[in-house]
Structures are given as structure tokens and as C-alpha cells.
Amino acid sequence: MTEIVLECRQLSMEYAIGPQRLRVLDSVNMQLAAGERIAIVGSSGSGKTTLLNLLGGLDTPTEGEVWLAGRLMSSLRESERGKLRNSGLGFVYQFHHLLAEFSALENVCMPLLIGNTPVNEARRRGEQMLERVGLSQRVGHKPGELSGGERQRVAIARALINEPACVLLDEPTGNLDQHTARSIQQLMLELSQSLKTAFMVVTHDLALASQMDRVFTLTEGHLAERP
């Protein structure tokens, strides 16, 4: 039986705009299996990032449920949700969100240290992950000393350092030139295959989306799988 690592059931999200309610997501259902790679595409403002934030437990839905690693997110205390996010999910954004004052290695190790991994063990694993993404010679460099593609590789290494069941990626190549974007795309595909980590990618990049196992389109709050 296939293990489901991330699932949403009847997920809806509304925002108040003056006296009116804007329904961004409407009864969305989806399952992500272990090791599976899916893409979500849609026009700007269609709710893709909202969906990703709800699935990642960063926002609370108006209606519906999110299950991560078999646990209902809404049933957990905030501290428990934080621990589950840190261990079960990785996040990669269009902008890397690295901490400028810390080195590449320190940025990658941050999730481990938050989870109380001993410093020496965190450093060893961080160095291994940076080597895996091709940055073994850049461990001591700060984000300002790295190229855009190198910063995104550090962000990917950070997302994977806890060996999460799933990585959520929001336009991971959207801020890169075409050549660098394709390099990052290939890296993500190789890592998802070798680490057996599930990837969910929100993207406008149809070339990237086409490399995924399944592609969904989000339109007017409804999510539909492409044939």
C-alpha cells in the first residue's frame, strides 16, 4: 500500500475584503504519496501560494483538514505543529530566505539545531548535504558571497537536511536566469529520486512542471489534475 505523506480534505480558504468574503480555495482535495513529485500551475492570484501555506501548516484554513505524516495538523498544539513541520517538511521559496549573517553551512544546519541535534552531528550532516548539492567548496561563504543559483542550492540543502517526507517549493526557479533555472531543476529531480522525498512544486515554469509525475491546475479555487 502506498504511503500518503501529505493530504488535504475539503480544504477551503476565505478572506474578508470589507463587507465581502473572497473564497480563494474551494473544497480542495489532494494526496501526495511518498517519493511522488507533483506540480501545481495556475495564473497569478489563483491561490497557489495560499494552498502551499495551508499544506505546510503556516496558515489555518477556513474549512477542511490537512494531514501530514498521518497526523491531523489542526489537532496539534502550536508547538507540536512546529516540531512536525521541522521534521516532516522542507520549504524552498522563489527568494532563498537565507540568513545573511550566517554561512552556507550554518544556514543549512539551522533546522537540525532547532531540533536539538548536537552541533558536531549537525555540522557533519550539513557538510554532506552541501557536497550533495555541489557546494562543498562554499561551506564557509555567506549568502552575499554566493551567486543566485548557489544561494538556491543552499536553500534546497536546508530544506532536505532533516530528510523530510515532503518538500514544498514555491516558484523555486522563478528568480533565476534560464540556464541557472535548468541547473536547479535538474538538481531537484536528481535529489528527489535519490532521497525518495516527495516534492510539491508551485510553478509558472511549464518545462519544470512537465518533469513531475502529476500536474494539477488551480483555477478559481478549484484544483484539477491534468490528464
Side-chain angles (χ1 to χ4, degrees):
M1 185 175 179
T2 303
E3 178 189 1
I4 302 300
V5 297
L6 185 62
E7 180 180 7
C8 65
R9 303 173 187 172
Q10 297 295 305
L11 198 65
S12 298
M13 189 67 175
E14 291 185 352
Y15 295 102
I17 302 180
Q20 297 182 324
R21 303 286 296 181
L22 176 63
R23 198 168 182 86
V24 179
L25 299 174
D26 191 3
S27 302
V28 171
N29 295 287
M30 186 179 59
Q31 291 184 332
L32 181 65
E36 186 179 24
R37 302 173 302 186
I38 71 172
I40 299 174
V41 299
S43 60
S44 296
S46 62
K48 301 186 302 298
T49 296
T50 297
L51 176 58
L52 216 61
N53 287 341
L54 292 175
L55 292 174
L58 301 176
D59 288 331
T60 302
T62 305
E63 301 169 9
E65 300 175 346
V66 175
W67 295 74
L68 173 61
R71 303 181 72 184
L72 177 60
M73 296 285 274
S74 61
S75 70
L76 305 176
R77 295 191 298 270
E78 181 55 40
S79 60
E80 293 174 322
R81 283 198 297 271
K83 289 179 181 178
L84 184 59
R85 279 196 302 267
N86 188 54
S87 63
L89 287 175
F91 296 89
V92 179
Y93 301 94
Q94 179 175 354
F95 301 98
H96 53 78
H97 295 298
L98 301 177
L99 299 174
E101 66 271 28
F102 293 103
S103 69
L105 178 59
E106 289 167 335
N107 270 282
V108 170
C109 289
M110 204 66 67
L112 292 175
L113 298 175
I114 291 172
N116 295 318
T117 300
V119 173
N120 288 341
E121 172 67 8
R123 183 179 182 86
R124 182 187 67 80
R125 289 170 59 181
E127 289 173 343
Q128 288 179 342
M129 187 57 70
L130 282 169
E131 181 176 5
R132 199 156 196 165
V133 300
L135 292 177
S136 58
Q137 303 303 313
R138 308 289 269 167
V139 295
H141 290 74
K142 294 182 178 180
E145 301 167 330
L146 302 174
S147 69
E150 288 172 333
R151 288 193 290 268
Q152 200 64 320
R153 285 172 179 263
V154 173
I156 292 170
R158 180 181 59 189
L160 291 167
I161 192 64
N162 263 332
E163 300 179 2
C166 175
V167 175
L168 305 177
L169 305 102
D170 192 355
E171 297 288 0
T173 60
N175 199 38
L176 304 172
D177 63 78
Q178 186 174 21
H179 175 75
T180 305
R182 293 295 166 258
S183 174
I184 294 296
Q185 173 185 326
Q186 187 59 40
L187 172 66
M188 291 189 300
L189 294 173
E190 291 171 357
L191 290 172
S192 69
Q193 290 173 347
S194 62
L195 298 175
K196 306 304 181 186
T197 299
F199 275 47
M200 180 182 293
V201 184
V202 162
T203 184
H204 283 99
D205 187 341
L206 296 182
L208 173 57
S210 68
Q211 299 298 311
M212 302 296 107
D213 300 317
R214 294 190 289 159
V215 179
F216 291 81
T217 301
L218 187 59
T219 308
E220 297 182 350
H222 298 279
L223 191 68
E225 184 173 358
R226 289 188 174 186

